[in-house]
Amino acid sequence: MHSVYAGLNALPTGQYDAAVSQGFSPVQALRGVLLPQVLRHVLPSLTGICIGLLKDTSLAFIVNVPELTTVAGQVNSREQIYPAAIFIFTGLVYYLLCYGLEKTTRRRFAPR
């Protein structure tokens, strides 16, 4: 939330004034003029936060939340075969989730 607020403060005040002078209400100016400009600058920061949150979910097993790493450990203890393959697959899933999130963000909001 702080990064979005900082992004709004980084915009020139003339952007808001121009939107209001064109007949936009303050909410319309924020939604239609200011936020699209802010998202291009703030989205890399927000994507980094989301990827960090995704990676930190592997620590959720401390409070007994069944997540991907915990389930992989349970499968490994139940099957007792191919433990390396199970955990390599788990790492691959985390990698693909983070990579997909990063690529989607880069493709959608990269400066042109």
Side-chain angles (χ1 to χ4, degrees), residues 15-90:
Q15 296 290 334
Y16 176 76
D17 295 339
V20 171
S21 71
Q22 292 295 316
F24 286 91
S25 71
V27 173
Q28 289 173 328
L30 180 69
R31 186 177 39 186
V33 177
L34 301 177
L35 283 180
Q37 295 177 44
V38 168
L39 281 178
R40 285 197 177 270
H41 299 287
V42 174
L43 203 62
S45 167
L46 294 177
T47 302
I49 291 169
C50 288
I51 288 173
L53 183 62
L54 178 68
K55 291 192 300 185
D56 289 343
T57 60
S58 63
L59 300 176
F61 76 93
I62 294 172
V63 290
N64 203 17
V65 175
E67 47 77 48
L68 194 57
T69 307
T70 305
V71 172
Q74 291 171 351
V75 168
N76 182 41
S77 66
R78 190 175 312 138
E79 297 297 323
Q80 298 280 327
I81 56 171
Y82 309 118
I86 291 171
F87 286 106
I88 287 173
F89 176 75
T90 303

